[in-house]
Amino acid sequence: MPGRSRTAARALAERGDPYTPVLDAVCGRLPRPGRRTLADWRRRAAEGPPGEEVGLEPFAPPEYLAAAGPSPAHRPPAPEPLPTGESR
């Protein structure tokens, strides 16, 4: 893979992964990336993965959630049953 970014191949080789030659063979068949593409890859690698945004907002409209009442996690615990023969 001369002249190509070898980050993944280097990481695989360093850990002795048996798939290193497979990655080398696949990448050897790919066209050489341009300067802009390489710059974009480097920028994205430096930024890391995007922040998690899934599940942060309720799926239902707020008025529906208010009418449904508190979620099971926020309901008070049910009273414990009384011993047999006793009443409250």
Side-chain angles (χ1 to χ4, degrees):
M1 240 187 308
R4 293 191 171 97
S5 174
R6 293 192 40 104
T7 305
R10 188 177 306 121
L12 289 175
E14 286 174 0
R15 63 179 243 203
D17 195 289
Y19 291 102
T20 303
V22 174
L23 182 63
D24 285 338
V26 170
C27 290
R29 302 288 302 164
L30 296 174
R32 186 178 178 119
R35 286 185 318 208
R36 287 187 204 159
T37 301
L38 286 172
D40 187 44
W41 290 348
R42 287 184 186 111
R43 179 184 54 79
R44 290 173 188 250
E47 289 174 357
E52 180 64 54
E53 295 181 14
V54 175
L56 298 180
E57 296 291 327
F59 183 71
E63 53 276 359
Y64 175 82
L65 294 174
S71 68
H74 296 94
R75 289 187 189 134
E80 293 189 26
L82 295 172
T84 308
E86 292 185 30
S87 63
R88 289 193 184 211

